[in-house]
Amino acid sequence: KEKALVPKMDWIKTARLNRPKMLVTNQPSEVVVNWKENDSNVSQWILHSRYNDHWETQFLDAKTNYKALPKQKNGAHLNAVALKAVDRVGNESDYIAERIK
């Protein structure tokens, strides 16, 4: 029922993915996360958001380049976001992360 990544296919050699560039904008009731694709091999994005001590994961298609996240959810406060890119064979870029104040 939950989305998951394709297992990494180590036997298929591809170029290493670049770490994405991310901009986090604090709005009154939400945080808007924008990012740039530095690589044409990206097939999806993995966006992690932390509410208090609970991490949530979203898998987004390659054409998506922003996400608005509520500052509060079920009484918990958004305090961090992290993003990385994934290519079609399961290779992942390094994370970029930012704390939310």
Side-chain angles (χ1 to χ4, degrees):
K1 288 186 174 185
E2 293 185 27
K3 292 185 179 183
L5 288 176
V6 188
K8 187 175 178 181
M9 299 175 212
D10 291 334
W11 61 92
I12 300 175
K13 299 298 177 200
T14 59
R16 182 174 171 84
L17 289 170
N18 296 321
R19 186 169 120 174
K21 295 186 187 293
M22 182 174 72
L23 174 66
V24 177
T25 307
N26 226 327
Q27 302 289 330
S29 63
E30 63 187 12
V31 170
V32 178
V33 183
N34 291 284
W35 57 88
K36 287 185 181 181
E37 180 178 336
N38 294 333
D39 199 314
S40 62
N41 293 324
V42 173
S43 67
Q44 65 181 327
W45 299 99
I46 302 174
L47 179 65
H48 298 281
S49 51
R50 186 175 71 190
Y51 288 88
N52 289 355
D53 291 330
H54 175 74
W55 284 97
E56 295 181 2
T57 303
Q58 296 180 54
F59 297 92
L60 306 166
D61 67 59
K63 296 187 187 297
T64 302
N65 62 0
Y66 79 95
K67 188 72 176 180
L69 302 169
K71 283 188 171 181
Q72 290 191 29
K73 188 184 279 189
N74 300 324
H77 297 279
L78 178 66
N79 55 28
V81 294
L83 178 75
K84 68 178 170 178
V86 181
D87 69 12
R88 65 180 179 80
V89 296
N91 295 313
E92 301 174 14
S93 71
D94 291 334
Y95 278 103
I96 185 163
E98 189 167 323
R99 289 184 190 270
I100 309 298
K101 296 180 182 181

